[in-house]
Each structure stands twice: as structure tokens, then as C-alpha cells.
Amino acid sequence: MESKKLIVTASPHITNHTSTRGLMLNVCIALLPALVASTLIFGARALLVTGVTVAACVGFEALYCVVMKKPVPVGDFSAVVTGMILAFNLPATIPLWIAIIGAFVAIVVAKQLFGGLGCNFANPAITGRVFLLLSFGGDMTTWVKPFYYQGNNFIVKLLMDNPRIPDGVTGATPLASGNANLLDLFLGNVGGSLGETSALALLIGGIFLLVMGIISWHTPVAYLGGLAVLELFYTIATGGEITDVLYALLSGGVILGAFFMATDYVTTPITGTGKLIFGLGCAVLTFVIREFANMPEGCSFSILLMNLLTPYIDKLTMTHPFGAKPAVKKEAK
């Protein structure tokens, strides 16, 4: 019988076959339900916008690395994930050239100029989305009603670079209008960005990530739970209905943000306690922006602001070796 040997090696000690490529592929799979839902709701234009942003993100990353004579990392699928999440934060009517600019900001400015994957301080997709929102506010807030493409003759125009949508099919998002019912919000029968309308599709993808161990429960639970508690107290204080709490959770980009953007490995805290703090911070900022600022949605801004605080949260919640003593500074003679 062969005896077991104790093998001593230097760190890091890799205990499984998890890789960046595998993680990113799982995230892509988790995003597929939302992509299918957006295609059903907004038609072929959703696939076109998503394809353009993904291709632009991959292309910009490859081009930058070739120009800078660096290894081309497009095989890790991180640029694909960035492109999909960026597309999910865009309306179906977005001109394609604007989507390409967003991809450039996300990949080159927010990611590669800071050293590439693992070195960026902010979520690239969110950075690209916020830049476009501040630069092209009109195009970023032009929404179409769900299933607007059915029974109309302008489907070909939607595949063009700058489609002109008839006024009869445009509409406000649920957060802006406040008149959608909960079932429509859950299924996605509402206007909005491509990937934020169907809560059901996003929850399917989020549960997949949790089951596969790609993300932990800390940030989504803290984000959604914290926002629910704040909205509950606000609803009671203002004399609203309890259903307003569910409305706040199902509308806007909160579910997309909680599962797919606030759980980014690079720009969010490492420890479980840090993830809870991060999620609660996102909840507070989202609530404040939604209820007291001059815009109905605050998910992207809240995550971006919390990204800036991640190093401090990590430092605050850092674990210390058992029995270790703090270093004593020597006084200069």
C-alpha cells in the first residue's frame, strides 16, 4: 500500500482548477437569460447593440495590447463580460457609435490604462455607462415600449446606426413613471435598458452564479436587503403602500447591479464583512439618489462611488493572523 506523502510547496497553494477564463464564461452563461429576455422584449436591436459592444470591447483590448506590445488577454473573456454588461445598461435605441465610445472608455480608459484586469480601480462597464450618461444624456434616456417592433414597418430602421423611433412607441422607465404593475416588472414587460427590465431573467442568472460559487451572497443580500429596509421606512414615513418596496427592488438596474456589477472581483472588497459593508453602502447611496436627487436611478453611481472606497473597506476588514502582534515603529535617533 502506497504511503501518503506530505508535499510542501511555496504559496500560492492552488486547490482547484478555477481560472479567469472559466469564471468569465460562467458569468456570460448567467447573462444569457437576460439577453434572451431583452431580445424578446426589444427585438433584433437588442442583439445588435450587444454584439457591437462586445466586439468593440474585445477589439479595443486587443488593439491596445498590440500597440503597447503587451500580451493580448482577450481569451480570458473579461472583455466579453464587460461588453455584455455595458450593453445591458444601454437603451435599445442607442446609436451604435455611442455604444462604441462607451466600450472605448470601459476597456481603454477604465481598464487598460490602469494596468489591465486586476489593476482597475472601478468597474469598467459602469464607468463606460456613467460616461455615456453624462455625455449623451438624451440618447441614453430615450426608451421604447416593450414589443414595440411587433406589427410595425420600421424594423429595418432599427438595424441602422441611428434609428428614429416614432413617438408612439417611446415611453418612460418604471422608476420615472411609477405606474407599472409588479408582474410586468418581474417579467420585463416595461421600458428601460436592455438588461434591467426582466427581474426574472436576472434572478435566474444571479442564482446560477451563487450555486456555482462564482459570487458570494454577501453583497447581493446586503444591497437588496438594505435598499428594501430603507424603502420600507421611507414608505411608512411618507404614507405610501408596502408594495412600493417591491416596486423599488424590481424596477431600475438594482438587480442587475447587485448580482453582476457590485460583485466584481477586482473592484469590490475581498472579505465577507467588507462585501456586506459594500452592499449596504450601495443600498444607502441608491436610496438617497433615487428619493432625494434629480434622477430616478442611482445604481451605477452608487457602485462607482463604493468602488472608490473599496481599498479602505479592505483595510478596515482585513483579517490578522492569530497571535500576531502589531509592528512597532522604531523611533529615529
Side-chain angles (χ1 to χ4, degrees):
M1 183 176 182
E2 185 180 354
S3 61
K4 295 182 179 179
K5 296 180 179 180
L6 176 63
I7 301 176
V8 180
T9 60
S11 62
H13 306 289
I14 301 176
T15 59
N16 56 42
H17 300 287
T18 302
S19 63
T20 300
R21 178 187 175 91
L23 293 173
M24 296 301 169
L25 279 174
N26 278 315
V27 176
C28 290
I29 294 173
L31 289 168
L32 287 180
L35 178 60
V36 173
S38 66
T39 303
L40 293 175
I41 296 168
F42 299 112
R45 182 74 185 178
L47 282 178
L48 181 63
V49 172
T50 304
V52 167
T53 55
V54 169
C57 285
V58 172
F60 282 132
E61 183 162 82
L63 181 61
Y64 178 89
C65 292
V66 169
V67 172
M68 300 303 294
K69 298 181 179 180
K70 298 171 57 178
V72 179
V74 295
D76 62 13
F77 280 82
S78 62
V80 175
V81 172
T82 298
M84 293 184 71
I85 295 178
L86 175 61
F88 286 2
N89 281 278
L90 303 177
T93 56
I94 193 74
L96 299 183
W97 63 272
I98 293 181
I100 293 174
I101 291 177
F104 176 83
V105 173
I107 293 297
V108 177
V109 178
K111 182 180 178 183
Q112 288 299 333
L113 288 181
F114 287 91
L117 183 65
C119 301
N120 49 291
F121 72 94
N123 186 293
I126 292 179
T127 305
R129 194 256 180 179
V130 170
F131 176 84
L132 293 183
L133 184 61
L134 296 176
S135 303
F136 307 98
D139 292 295
M140 287 290 290
T141 54
T142 299
W143 319 101
V144 289
K145 296 178 181 179
F147 308 107
Y148 66 95
Y149 58 91
Q150 295 182 351
N152 293 285
N153 297 322
F154 53 86
I155 184 64
V156 176
K157 293 182 179 181
L158 300 181
L159 299 178
M160 298 170 60
D161 184 43
N162 189 13
R164 295 186 178 278
I165 308 298
D167 293 337
V169 297
T170 59
T173 63
L175 277 176
S177 63
N179 57 6
N181 63 63
L182 295 180
L183 182 60
D184 284 341
L185 287 172
F186 184 70
L187 297 178
N189 189 25
V190 292
S193 298
L194 294 181
E196 69 179 21
T197 55
S198 176
L200 174 61
L202 293 171
L203 288 174
I204 292 173
I207 292 172
F208 173 80
L209 293 179
L210 289 170
V211 172
M212 295 296 295
I214 306 301
I215 64 175
S216 67
W217 60 268
H218 301 79
T219 300
V221 169
Y223 194 169
L224 298 176
L227 182 60
V229 171
L230 291 171
E231 291 288 353
L232 177 61
F233 281 114
Y234 184 76
T235 298
I236 295 174
T238 56
E241 299 180 359
I242 300 300
T243 54
D244 293 343
V245 177
L246 289 175
Y247 195 97
L249 294 178
L250 295 176
S251 57
V254 171
I255 297 180
L256 176 65
F259 286 102
F260 295 98
M261 297 190 289
T263 56
D264 179 38
Y265 282 14
V266 178
T267 59
T268 56
I270 299 173
T271 65
T273 303
K275 295 178 188 295
L276 290 173
I277 295 174
F278 186 91
L280 289 173
C282 290
V284 172
L285 290 172
T286 300
F287 170 77
V288 171
I289 293 173
R290 281 185 172 187
E291 302 297 347
F292 304 106
N294 60 352
M295 60 179 63
E297 179 60 292
C299 179
S300 295
F301 287 98
S302 68
I303 296 175
L304 185 59
L305 289 172
M306 290 304 297
N307 284 162
L308 302 178
L309 298 178
T310 292
Y312 304 99
I313 297 175
D314 277 334
K315 185 177 181 180
L316 177 66
T317 60
M318 184 185 303
T319 57
H320 301 280
F322 180 75
K325 297 181 180 180
V328 179
K329 295 182 179 180
K330 296 182 179 180
E331 297 182 0
K333 295 182 180 180

